Amino acid sequence: MPGLTAPNALARAYRRFGEGDAAATSPLYERVAVALSESGAALRAVEAAPARRRHPTVILAALHDLALAGRAPALATAYAAADADAAAGAAIDTLLRMTDQVVALATRRKVRADETGRHAVLYPAVAEAAHRAGADAVGLIDVGCSAGFNLRVDRVGITYGDGRMLGDPSSPVQVSCATVGGRPVPARAMPEVVARIGVDDDPVDVTDADEARWLRACVWPDQPEQLARLEAELTLAATAPMELLRGDALDLLPEAFARVPADALPVVTTTWALSGSSLENRLRFLHRLDEAATGRAVAWVSAEGVGVAPAIPTMGDRRASGHSILGLAVFGHAALRADAIGRCWSRGRLLAWVA
Ligand SMILES: C[S@@+](CC[C@H](N)C(=O)[O-])C[C@H]1O[C@@H](n2cnc3c(N)ncnc32)[C@H](O)[C@@H]1O
């Protein structure tokens, strides 16, 4: 919805969002979005934002952020009480009273999708990478890390559908993952993680209270399970510091590799981070990994749409077929071994291990 310019288009977009996207899961956002679509004054306030920043998810997150910050108490109360009518009135009131603040947030911040729960696919893949490379310590480099949750994959507990458990059962982050197919997920434990490096051109630093609140604001207010998952990740984040490198991954990868101690295997991870890059840049990314592997082994674990991760076999699956491929590439001194080791669905909440 890049160009929400004409008032009627804006009204239609908000109604469509409310009655479509939100209706199934969020009675609060359904009611609020429809109310905004019916208020000329509210739509004019939304028009104060740049055309590309008028999407309901952006404006609603900005309003939610003000509520969480204590700057829109009536809206906060209505959301807490799950009172959709009160929320609709309070959202319009907040938007009209605090248009500048809403627009500033909508312009500055990117809506973050739910980035929790990738661990169930990453954990066995990173352990497999270390096993193949004969490493007993790894340095994690998450490319497109956003808030960096993937970088604590060794600190979580995972329960698979077949009953297998991996990781730390006392961790605040406990994920469950359904499994399909005949092969069990390997029981191998994660080796020691000696470096955690996140690379992103727009990372989220969750140690900053405003940035952490924005992540909470991006969760729809009547989605308590999603909020609980985020809170658990934020609790865990405080226990394992990481380094964040801001900028383009192609430029920063050499620096990231240099930060991994020489006796540890650098394991680059990408989860749904490459699809926005051109094929040329994805091939350059692959080349960067290859270059880094001249003096040491390097591994790359990918969870990306079918055909997105270069060199990772697609197993004959069609692109855009609704699932992703879990890939493992190990760059040795002389050779690259690249395999598809799994298929996954729902951003890693369902896994078929195939290696
Ligand atoms: C769709 S999000 C995925 C975030 C996370 N990995 C996940 O599993 O949800 C893609 C992230 O990659 C970052 N990104 C995309 N291309 C990048 C590049 N060339 N260099 C650095 N970061 C990039 C974006 O800023 C964004 O945070």
Side-chain angles (χ1 to χ4, degrees), residues 110 112 115 118 144 146 150 199-202 247-249 271-273:
K110 194 193 276 183
R112 303 288 171 169
E115 294 161 9
R118 279 74 165 115
S146 193
N150 289 347
V199 179
D200 200 298
D201 50 19
D202 187 15
D248 192 280
T271 59
W272 297 281

Side-chain angles (χ1 to χ4, degrees), residues 217-274:
C218 290
V219 177
W220 297 3
D222 43 8
Q223 297 191 332
E225 286 175 12
Q226 197 172 319
L227 181 62
R229 282 200 300 269
L230 173 61
E231 293 297 350
E233 295 278 5
L234 292 173
T235 302
L236 186 63
T239 71
M242 61 181 192
E243 300 172 82
L244 276 183
L245 303 182
R246 176 187 291 271
D248 192 280
L250 292 174
D251 299 331
L252 290 172
L253 268 172
E255 183 181 343
F257 283 117
R259 291 180 186 224
V260 177
D263 54 356
L265 172 73
V267 181
V268 175
T269 53
T270 62
T271 59
W272 297 281
L274 297 183

Side-chain angles (χ1 to χ4, degrees), residues 20-96:
D21 302 3
T25 50
S26 177
L28 281 175
Y29 271 8
E30 177 184 7
R31 180 77 188 86
V32 171
V34 170
L36 293 177
S37 80
E38 291 170 346
S39 164
L43 294 173
R44 278 192 295 283
V46 172
E47 280 179 318
R52 300 184 72 85
R53 311 304 300 156
R54 295 175 188 168
H55 191 279
T57 52
V58 188
I59 298 296
L60 290 172
L63 288 166
H64 194 193
D65 189 81
L66 293 171
L68 294 175
R71 298 170 71 193
L75 185 58
T77 304
Y79 280 163
D83 182 337
D85 288 333
I92 291 175
D93 181 58
T94 306
L95 182 55
L96 299 185

